[in-house]
Amino acid sequence: MNAIEENAIELRHVSRWYGNVVAVNDVSMTVGPGITGLLGPNGAGKTTLLTMMAGFLAPSRGELTVAGQPSWRHPGVFRLLGLVPERDSVYAFLTGLDFVRSTAKLHRLADPDAAARRAIGIVNMADAQDRRISTYSKGMRQRIKVAAALVHDPRILLLDEPFNGMDPRQRLVMMDLFERMAQEGRTIVFSSHILEEVERMSGTIQVIVGGRLAASGDFRAIRRLMTSRPHVFLVRSSADRALGAALIGRPAVSGVELTPRGLQVRTSDFGTFTREIAGLCKDGGIALREVRPSDESLESVFSYLVAT
Amino acid sequence: MSVLLNPVVLRITLRAALGRKRALVFALVPTVLLGITVLLKLVAHSPVWPAEFLGVFGFSVVLPLTSLIIGTSVLGAEIDDGSIVHLLATPVSRLGVVISKFAAAVILTILFGAIPEFLAGAIAKGFGDRLTIGLLAGALLASVAYNALFVMLSLLTTRAIAVGLLYLLVWEGLLGNLIGGVRVLSIGQYSVGVANSIAHTSALNSHLTARTAIIMAVAVTLATLAVAVRRLSSFALKGESV
Amino acid sequence: MATDRIPGSIQAMPGTGVIHDIGYQSYEGRRLGRLAIVTALCLHSLRSAFGFGRGVKAKIVPALTFVIMCAPAVINAVAMALNHDHARLVSYDTYVGTLRVLVTLVFVAAQAPELVARDLRSRVLPLYFARPIRRSDYPTAKYAAFVLACLAMIDLPVLLLYIGTILQVHGGSEVWAQTRAAVPGLLVGLMWAVLLAAVGLALASVSGRRAFSTGSVAIFLFLTWTLVGVLSRISVTSSGGSSASGPGGVVRVTGAAHLFGLVSPFTVLDGVRQWLGGTSPGIVSAPGRYGVAYGVMLLVFLGASLAGFFLRYARTDVG
């Protein structure tokens, strides 16, 4: 049983589609204790993946198990699992304490009041707990949702964009909380589309792009992959072919393509390239008209990871 | 704690319904009912007006509309704004959730529909009168059956109140008056049937016997609640509702 | 480009900043004016009143109500074909009274929120009002759209009835007679659309929650409608007449009981129809000398609804 518990969430060739739209495409992964971040651009399928893990959506294909059992149609899985959904939807007419305590009662805890207060203490909402949730700010609502997800001491915590609406200090506090919980042996899975949010975190990253699992592993290693990725520039000059021939001889240039719009140059060393191109043009008597980077967006950054 | 009724769900649902200005909308219809009853008591000459008015207005408007608004919103409102996730992300039994929501809806409908109907009958004819008791019995049955249907509808579609309105007006109202067979599948007819079996007045325009009415009402209630539990067990979060 | 000595990083050198010309171009072409905006909004709203542009489920209620509304026209055509003396069963100006009331009620209650509640709920109104339109343009577009939608819902079946009838009659004079009879019916439908669209939108715009809006419209229209029917029946029986079955039966009332009909928009519409000369028996008894009251009430309902609806969007804190 222990081995299954360790591999808390398992996905095997999980796909989910809505009619013609494939939201999650053949994802296989194993999520164990510690922190796992689901990273990816908006619309990549992170929420769909989390929703399936949480048992609120069935995979169209493949198997998804939580602690050995499928989470779909198994309300019992929620004894082990806490979910913090992204939507800002919560019983606004209840007080914070009321909401968390009711959740504790729904979990059939022996002392719901104590559990609620403890959970609220963990997220530092004790001084607002007697106010109605409708009076809370967005960050406070996030925190009370986290408290409700923690109240039954789950070994797995799923959070969808938990840092939305939090200021940097709150983010740090929340990350600290995750680290502490991870050290206790829990499994924390959260989704985000902002790299900088997860900069300092000590766990595994799963990069989801276009519904597919694009990269997994340590955050720092992936980051390195991204900064040492090839850059692509569009160059227009008075003699593209000649310039292209000169460029391909340089070690900093890894590829050159003649396109109707100009010369497309791939380089793995941005700095050297930019230094050398001016010299090459001068030597060859070529007038350089335009050097334009063509891949600054996060999308293309992630798509490099897919290609890799 | 009984498996069927979950006090936490019940309490939250009742608070959600009663704790806001929205409750005033519930009070609107019974107020009109009671107001006009008092007026008619003062000015009407015909001896049959209570059965006519309370029968038609009560069983065509008060009970159906009140049940519609309450029944579609006890689950529907939470599904609509997404807060149902917080309820369902616990090991609470889905059967318990449906039963508790249903019970809350019935309680609210009795409060805002059946009891005003009973009081109106009492104003018109006194507490012990056959009509008054009949109206109460019919109203209680209507509260139960209608809410079961509408709770189920709220799990089948996001436009449950529109579909419910279609059912009330076109199926029960229009077709029920034209085609005899439809009456057997009309909750309005069940409630009128039960009321008539006690009150015995033709003004109630009842076409079913009490036995048929009760059997069908129980069947409809159980069937719709069963469907509701099945749907809730497979509840899928699909993001923002369109 | 200002970068020429950078050791392998993609950021600009510390201390300098560069704004890259990535070819952004502003739009210098022709811009359509207010009329185009209002027309576009109106068309979009008209489409959403029937569920076009949304999923399949959004079309169910409009489709069902339309089919049910057309049923009498179809049945009439079939009956006329079978029954060779070509008597038309359904009249143009009242159609089938109770059916039209109930089906239109469902349509208005279910679809008025589709036009207004969504924008309120998702708080996109500031986006609309940031365009070069006046405050009053938004409700104008919505109202025009819903009037057209209700008109389609009410008059297309009448047209269908007309077409089904003239296909079966012979002779130009007969066709002309049918046409002359149909035109007032179509105008009555227009009257219905104008009033009910206003009432429906006014009530639906109170809340952003669709269910709440539908509930409000349904309560007002159905409660008043049933009330009129029941009270009329009671006053008939109390004055010794015989009562008809169903709340919408034709009833003959006397005296001040005529005024019951002022409470419900549907009976007001029918009262005005009869006051203006319509002779077919309708859902309310002939108003006689109270006809003026019905006319006035129609204007009161219309004015109050439109005023409420337009004022709703005139507030600065809307959305």
Side-chain angles (χ1 to χ4, degrees), chain A residues 61-93:
Chain A
R61 197 169 57 190
E63 290 157 28
L64 192 156
T65 54
V66 173
Q69 264 202 341
S71 53
W72 174 242
R73 298 192 68 159
H74 271 94
V77 79
F78 293 110
R79 276 183 255 273
L80 318 162
L81 201 153
L83 172 68
V84 179
E86 184 211 353
R87 265 183 91 173
D88 192 25
S89 56
V90 82
Y91 298 107
F93 55 93

mmCIF file of all heavy atoms in Angstrom, chain A residues 61-93:
data_model
loop_
_atom_site.group_PDB
_atom_site.id
_atom_site.type_symbol
_atom_site.label_atom_id
_atom_site.label_comp_id
_atom_site.label_asym_id
_atom_site.label_seq_id
_atom_site.Cartn_x
_atom_site.Cartn_y
_atom_site.Cartn_z
ATOM 1 N N ARG A 61 -10.208 9.427 -22.348
ATOM 2 C CA ARG A 61 -9.444 8.202 -22.582
ATOM 3 C C ARG A 61 -8.316 8.140 -21.576
ATOM 4 O O ARG A 61 -7.819 9.179 -21.138
ATOM 5 C CB ARG A 61 -8.890 8.202 -23.998
ATOM 6 C CG ARG A 61 -8.448 6.837 -24.458
ATOM 7 C CD ARG A 61 -8.168 6.820 -25.937
ATOM 8 N NE ARG A 61 -7.163 7.794 -26.315
ATOM 9 C CZ ARG A 61 -6.883 8.093 -27.581
ATOM 10 N NH1 ARG A 61 -7.546 7.524 -28.554
ATOM 11 N NH2 ARG A 61 -5.981 8.970 -27.871
ATOM 12 N N GLY A 62 -7.866 6.946 -21.253
ATOM 13 C CA GLY A 62 -6.744 6.823 -20.343
ATOM 14 C C GLY A 62 -7.200 6.587 -18.926
ATOM 15 O O GLY A 62 -8.393 6.547 -18.624
ATOM 16 N N GLU A 63 -6.226 6.394 -18.048
ATOM 17 C CA GLU A 63 -6.561 6.135 -16.642
ATOM 18 C C GLU A 63 -5.941 7.188 -15.756
ATOM 19 O O GLU A 63 -4.786 7.575 -15.938
ATOM 20 C CB GLU A 63 -5.975 4.796 -16.198
ATOM 21 C CG GLU A 63 -6.644 3.615 -16.821
ATOM 22 C CD GLU A 63 -5.681 2.432 -16.797
ATOM 23 O OE1 GLU A 63 -4.817 2.390 -15.900
ATOM 24 O OE2 GLU A 63 -5.779 1.594 -17.697
ATOM 25 N N LEU A 64 -6.711 7.575 -14.779
ATOM 26 C CA LEU A 64 -6.225 8.545 -13.811
ATOM 27 C C LEU A 64 -6.577 8.016 -12.433
ATOM 28 O O LEU A 64 -7.748 7.821 -12.137
ATOM 29 C CB LEU A 64 -6.902 9.901 -14.057
ATOM 30 C CG LEU A 64 -6.329 11.111 -13.345
ATOM 31 C CD1 LEU A 64 -6.704 12.355 -14.118
ATOM 32 C CD2 LEU A 64 -6.802 11.228 -11.938
ATOM 33 N N THR A 65 -5.562 7.783 -11.614
ATOM 34 C CA THR A 65 -5.865 7.274 -10.279
ATOM 35 C C THR A 65 -5.227 8.163 -9.222
ATOM 36 O O THR A 65 -4.132 8.702 -9.416
ATOM 37 C CB THR A 65 -5.334 5.841 -10.078
ATOM 38 O OG1 THR A 65 -3.947 5.842 -10.389
ATOM 39 C CG2 THR A 65 -6.057 4.860 -10.957
ATOM 40 N N VAL A 66 -5.903 8.271 -8.132
ATOM 41 C CA VAL A 66 -5.398 8.998 -6.974
ATOM 42 C C VAL A 66 -5.306 7.994 -5.836
ATOM 43 O O VAL A 66 -6.305 7.413 -5.444
ATOM 44 C CB VAL A 66 -6.340 10.160 -6.597
ATOM 45 C CG1 VAL A 66 -5.901 10.807 -5.303
ATOM 46 C CG2 VAL A 66 -6.400 11.169 -7.714
ATOM 47 N N ALA A 67 -4.088 7.790 -5.328
ATOM 48 C CA ALA A 67 -3.848 6.787 -4.286
ATOM 49 C C ALA A 67 -4.456 5.443 -4.680
ATOM 50 O O ALA A 67 -5.067 4.759 -3.882
ATOM 51 C CB ALA A 67 -4.397 7.249 -2.940
ATOM 52 N N GLY A 68 -4.274 5.108 -5.942
ATOM 53 C CA GLY A 68 -4.684 3.787 -6.383
ATOM 54 C C GLY A 68 -6.104 3.680 -6.890
ATOM 55 O O GLY A 68 -6.481 2.673 -7.483
ATOM 56 N N GLN A 69 -6.922 4.684 -6.653
ATOM 57 C CA GLN A 69 -8.315 4.621 -7.089
ATOM 58 C C GLN A 69 -8.627 5.748 -8.045
ATOM 59 O O GLN A 69 -8.114 6.852 -7.869
ATOM 60 C CB GLN A 69 -9.199 4.806 -5.850
ATOM 61 C CG GLN A 69 -9.677 3.544 -5.237
ATOM 62 C CD GLN A 69 -10.918 3.816 -4.422
ATOM 63 O OE1 GLN A 69 -11.179 4.965 -4.069
ATOM 64 N NE2 GLN A 69 -11.675 2.798 -4.142
ATOM 65 N N PRO A 70 -9.492 5.498 -9.030
ATOM 66 C CA PRO A 70 -9.882 6.635 -9.875
ATOM 67 C C PRO A 70 -10.612 7.673 -9.034
ATOM 68 O O PRO A 70 -11.364 7.334 -8.133
ATOM 69 C CB PRO A 70 -10.841 6.020 -10.906
ATOM 70 C CG PRO A 70 -10.928 4.593 -10.613
ATOM 71 C CD PRO A 70 -10.171 4.264 -9.390
ATOM 72 N N SER A 71 -10.367 8.935 -9.345
ATOM 73 C CA SER A 71 -11.005 9.970 -8.546
ATOM 74 C C SER A 71 -12.404 10.297 -9.032
ATOM 75 O O SER A 71 -13.208 10.862 -8.306
ATOM 76 C CB SER A 71 -10.158 11.248 -8.562
ATOM 77 O OG SER A 71 -9.897 11.619 -9.891
ATOM 78 N N TRP A 72 -12.719 9.918 -10.273
ATOM 79 C CA TRP A 72 -14.034 10.210 -10.838
ATOM 80 C C TRP A 72 -15.080 9.325 -10.180
ATOM 81 O O TRP A 72 -14.923 8.131 -10.048
ATOM 82 C CB TRP A 72 -13.969 9.958 -12.343
ATOM 83 C CG TRP A 72 -15.234 10.056 -13.114
ATOM 84 C CD1 TRP A 72 -15.844 9.060 -13.822
ATOM 85 C CD2 TRP A 72 -16.061 11.210 -13.286
ATOM 86 N NE1 TRP A 72 -16.983 9.530 -14.427
ATOM 87 C CE2 TRP A 72 -17.146 10.847 -14.120
ATOM 88 C CE3 TRP A 72 -15.992 12.527 -12.838
ATOM 89 C CZ2 TRP A 72 -18.145 11.736 -14.496
ATOM 90 C CZ3 TRP A 72 -16.988 13.411 -13.215
ATOM 91 C CH2 TRP A 72 -18.049 13.004 -14.032
ATOM 92 N N ARG A 73 -16.142 9.959 -9.727
ATOM 93 C CA ARG A 73 -17.260 9.253 -9.089
ATOM 94 C C ARG A 73 -16.850 8.492 -7.834
ATOM 95 O O ARG A 73 -17.424 7.462 -7.526
ATOM 96 C CB ARG A 73 -17.919 8.285 -10.081
ATOM 97 C CG ARG A 73 -18.496 9.008 -11.273
ATOM 98 C CD ARG A 73 -19.356 8.098 -12.062
ATOM 99 N NE ARG A 73 -20.556 7.775 -11.280
ATOM 100 C CZ ARG A 73 -21.674 7.336 -11.805
ATOM 101 N NH1 ARG A 73 -21.764 7.179 -13.086
ATOM 102 N NH2 ARG A 73 -22.697 7.047 -11.047
ATOM 103 N N HIS A 74 -15.854 8.990 -7.136
ATOM 104 C CA HIS A 74 -15.462 8.385 -5.869
ATOM 105 C C HIS A 74 -15.373 9.472 -4.818
ATOM 106 O O HIS A 74 -14.285 9.971 -4.549
ATOM 107 C CB HIS A 74 -14.090 7.712 -6.005
ATOM 108 C CG HIS A 74 -14.171 6.304 -6.452
ATOM 109 N ND1 HIS A 74 -14.075 5.952 -7.762
ATOM 110 C CD2 HIS A 74 -14.336 5.154 -5.756
ATOM 111 C CE1 HIS A 74 -14.178 4.641 -7.870
ATOM 112 N NE2 HIS A 74 -14.329 4.120 -6.668
ATOM 113 N N PRO A 75 -16.489 9.879 -4.242
ATOM 114 C CA PRO A 75 -16.433 10.964 -3.264
ATOM 115 C C PRO A 75 -15.487 10.658 -2.116
ATOM 116 O O PRO A 75 -14.976 11.556 -1.471
ATOM 117 C CB PRO A 75 -17.869 11.080 -2.770
ATOM 118 C CG PRO A 75 -18.708 10.436 -3.804
ATOM 119 C CD PRO A 75 -17.878 9.403 -4.460
ATOM 120 N N GLY A 76 -15.234 9.360 -1.880
ATOM 121 C CA GLY A 76 -14.329 9.013 -0.788
ATOM 122 C C GLY A 76 -12.920 9.542 -0.983
ATOM 123 O O GLY A 76 -12.181 9.739 -0.025
ATOM 124 N N VAL A 77 -12.561 9.815 -2.248
ATOM 125 C CA VAL A 77 -11.200 10.311 -2.498
ATOM 126 C C VAL A 77 -10.971 11.666 -1.812
ATOM 127 O O VAL A 77 -9.832 12.051 -1.553
ATOM 128 C CB VAL A 77 -10.945 10.413 -4.027
ATOM 129 C CG1 VAL A 77 -11.574 11.675 -4.600
ATOM 130 C CG2 VAL A 77 -9.482 10.387 -4.339
ATOM 131 N N PHE A 78 -12.059 12.373 -1.538
ATOM 132 C CA PHE A 78 -11.890 13.685 -0.939
ATOM 133 C C PHE A 78 -11.444 13.640 0.505
ATOM 134 O O PHE A 78 -11.133 14.683 1.091
ATOM 135 C CB PHE A 78 -13.172 14.510 -1.075
ATOM 136 C CG PHE A 78 -13.473 14.858 -2.501
ATOM 137 C CD1 PHE A 78 -14.531 14.290 -3.165
ATOM 138 C CD2 PHE A 78 -12.640 15.726 -3.188
ATOM 139 C CE1 PHE A 78 -14.782 14.578 -4.490
ATOM 140 C CE2 PHE A 78 -12.885 16.030 -4.499
ATOM 141 C CZ PHE A 78 -13.948 15.455 -5.162
ATOM 142 N N ARG A 79 -11.423 12.434 1.098
ATOM 143 C CA ARG A 79 -10.820 12.345 2.427
ATOM 144 C C ARG A 79 -9.329 12.630 2.356
ATOM 145 O O ARG A 79 -8.714 13.133 3.288
ATOM 146 C CB ARG A 79 -11.043 10.944 3.002
ATOM 147 C CG ARG A 79 -12.380 10.783 3.668
ATOM 148 C CD ARG A 79 -12.503 9.405 4.280
ATOM 149 N NE ARG A 79 -13.368 8.574 3.483
ATOM 150 C CZ ARG A 79 -14.692 8.546 3.633
ATOM 151 N NH1 ARG A 79 -15.285 9.289 4.538
ATOM 152 N NH2 ARG A 79 -15.426 7.775 2.867
ATOM 153 N N LEU A 80 -8.732 12.264 1.204
ATOM 154 C CA LEU A 80 -7.283 12.441 1.064
ATOM 155 C C LEU A 80 -6.929 13.701 0.318
ATOM 156 O O LEU A 80 -5.761 14.066 0.254
ATOM 157 C CB LEU A 80 -6.688 11.297 0.229
ATOM 158 C CG LEU A 80 -7.160 9.892 0.473
ATOM 159 C CD1 LEU A 80 -6.785 9.057 -0.734
ATOM 160 C CD2 LEU A 80 -6.467 9.346 1.703
ATOM 161 N N LEU A 81 -7.925 14.325 -0.292
ATOM 162 C CA LEU A 81 -7.625 15.315 -1.300
ATOM 163 C C LEU A 81 -8.299 16.624 -0.919
ATOM 164 O O LEU A 81 -9.428 16.647 -0.469
ATOM 165 C CB LEU A 81 -8.209 14.787 -2.614
ATOM 166 C CG LEU A 81 -7.684 15.298 -3.935
ATOM 167 C CD1 LEU A 81 -7.896 14.211 -4.969
ATOM 168 C CD2 LEU A 81 -8.439 16.515 -4.336
ATOM 169 N N GLY A 82 -7.580 17.712 -1.119
ATOM 170 C CA GLY A 82 -8.184 19.019 -0.931
ATOM 171 C C GLY A 82 -8.070 19.779 -2.240
ATOM 172 O O GLY A 82 -7.047 19.722 -2.909
ATOM 173 N N LEU A 83 -9.106 20.490 -2.619
ATOM 174 C CA LEU A 83 -9.098 21.205 -3.897
ATOM 175 C C LEU A 83 -9.354 22.685 -3.670
ATOM 176 O O LEU A 83 -10.253 23.061 -2.931
ATOM 177 C CB LEU A 83 -10.181 20.630 -4.805
ATOM 178 C CG LEU A 83 -10.450 21.366 -6.110
ATOM 179 C CD1 LEU A 83 -9.278 21.230 -7.046
ATOM 180 C CD2 LEU A 83 -11.706 20.856 -6.770
ATOM 181 N N VAL A 84 -8.546 23.518 -4.315
ATOM 182 C CA VAL A 84 -8.801 24.949 -4.297
ATOM 183 C C VAL A 84 -9.060 25.364 -5.732
ATOM 184 O O VAL A 84 -8.128 25.507 -6.518
ATOM 185 C CB VAL A 84 -7.584 25.724 -3.727
ATOM 186 C CG1 VAL A 84 -7.863 27.217 -3.732
ATOM 187 C CG2 VAL A 84 -7.264 25.248 -2.334
ATOM 188 N N PRO A 85 -10.317 25.536 -6.136
ATOM 189 C CA PRO A 85 -10.597 25.847 -7.537
ATOM 190 C C PRO A 85 -10.241 27.290 -7.873
ATOM 191 O O PRO A 85 -10.052 28.112 -6.987
ATOM 192 C CB PRO A 85 -12.107 25.630 -7.654
ATOM 193 C CG PRO A 85 -12.614 25.809 -6.281
ATOM 194 C CD PRO A 85 -11.519 25.492 -5.323
ATOM 195 N N GLU A 86 -10.180 27.560 -9.174
ATOM 196 C CA GLU A 86 -9.746 28.889 -9.584
ATOM 197 C C GLU A 86 -10.870 29.903 -9.483
ATOM 198 O O GLU A 86 -10.664 31.042 -9.119
ATOM 199 C CB GLU A 86 -9.238 28.819 -11.024
ATOM 200 C CG GLU A 86 -8.665 30.119 -11.517
ATOM 201 C CD GLU A 86 -8.866 30.302 -13.005
ATOM 202 O OE1 GLU A 86 -9.336 29.357 -13.659
ATOM 203 O OE2 GLU A 86 -8.548 31.383 -13.494
ATOM 204 N N ARG A 87 -12.067 29.447 -9.811
ATOM 205 C CA ARG A 87 -13.191 30.388 -9.843
ATOM 206 C C ARG A 87 -13.408 31.040 -8.495
ATOM 207 O O ARG A 87 -13.360 30.378 -7.457
ATOM 208 C CB ARG A 87 -14.461 29.669 -10.257
ATOM 209 C CG ARG A 87 -14.737 29.777 -11.723
ATOM 210 C CD ARG A 87 -16.032 29.121 -12.045
ATOM 211 N NE ARG A 87 -17.126 30.077 -11.969
ATOM 212 C CZ ARG A 87 -18.367 29.807 -12.330
ATOM 213 N NH1 ARG A 87 -18.673 28.615 -12.760
ATOM 214 N NH2 ARG A 87 -19.308 30.697 -12.236
ATOM 215 N N ASP A 88 -13.681 32.295 -8.531
ATOM 216 C CA ASP A 88 -13.878 33.049 -7.303
ATOM 217 C C ASP A 88 -15.280 32.822 -6.780
ATOM 218 O O ASP A 88 -16.078 33.733 -6.681
ATOM 219 C CB ASP A 88 -13.674 34.546 -7.610
ATOM 220 C CG ASP A 88 -13.564 35.350 -6.344
ATOM 221 O OD1 ASP A 88 -13.177 34.772 -5.316
ATOM 222 O OD2 ASP A 88 -13.894 36.547 -6.396
ATOM 223 N N SER A 89 -15.571 31.598 -6.451
ATOM 224 C CA SER A 89 -16.939 31.253 -6.104
ATOM 225 C C SER A 89 -16.945 30.641 -4.724
ATOM 226 O O SER A 89 -16.358 29.601 -4.509
ATOM 227 C CB SER A 89 -17.457 30.237 -7.096
ATOM 228 O OG SER A 89 -16.584 29.121 -7.099
ATOM 229 N N VAL A 90 -17.611 31.273 -3.827
ATOM 230 C CA VAL A 90 -17.609 30.750 -2.467
ATOM 231 C C VAL A 90 -18.881 31.257 -1.808
ATOM 232 O O VAL A 90 -19.499 32.206 -2.274
ATOM 233 C CB VAL A 90 -16.325 31.228 -1.752
ATOM 234 C CG1 VAL A 90 -16.484 32.626 -1.225
ATOM 235 C CG2 VAL A 90 -15.894 30.277 -0.673
ATOM 236 N N TYR A 91 -19.316 30.626 -0.761
ATOM 237 C CA TYR A 91 -20.565 31.046 -0.121
ATOM 238 C C TYR A 91 -20.387 32.417 0.524
ATOM 239 O O TYR A 91 -20.018 32.523 1.688
ATOM 240 C CB TYR A 91 -20.979 30.034 0.937
ATOM 241 C CG TYR A 91 -21.260 28.666 0.359
ATOM 242 C CD1 TYR A 91 -20.392 27.607 0.549
ATOM 243 C CD2 TYR A 91 -22.416 28.432 -0.392
ATOM 244 C CE1 TYR A 91 -20.649 26.364 0.019
ATOM 245 C CE2 TYR A 91 -22.680 27.183 -0.921
ATOM 246 C CZ TYR A 91 -21.793 26.148 -0.723
ATOM 247 O OH TYR A 91 -22.045 24.918 -1.238
ATOM 248 N N ALA A 92 -20.695 33.424 -0.208
ATOM 249 C CA ALA A 92 -20.344 34.777 0.234
ATOM 250 C C ALA A 92 -21.111 35.233 1.464
ATOM 251 O O ALA A 92 -20.686 36.165 2.140
ATOM 252 C CB ALA A 92 -20.581 35.760 -0.912
ATOM 253 N N PHE A 93 -22.215 34.625 1.748
ATOM 254 C CA PHE A 93 -23.010 35.108 2.865
ATOM 255 C C PHE A 93 -22.566 34.503 4.199
ATOM 256 O O PHE A 93 -23.059 34.893 5.259
ATOM 257 C CB PHE A 93 -24.491 34.793 2.636
ATOM 258 C CG PHE A 93 -24.747 33.337 2.372
ATOM 259 C CD1 PHE A 93 -25.067 32.489 3.410
ATOM 260 C CD2 PHE A 93 -24.624 32.806 1.105
ATOM 261 C CE1 PHE A 93 -25.283 31.142 3.185
ATOM 262 C CE2 PHE A 93 -24.835 31.465 0.871
ATOM 263 C CZ PHE A 93 -25.172 30.635 1.916
#
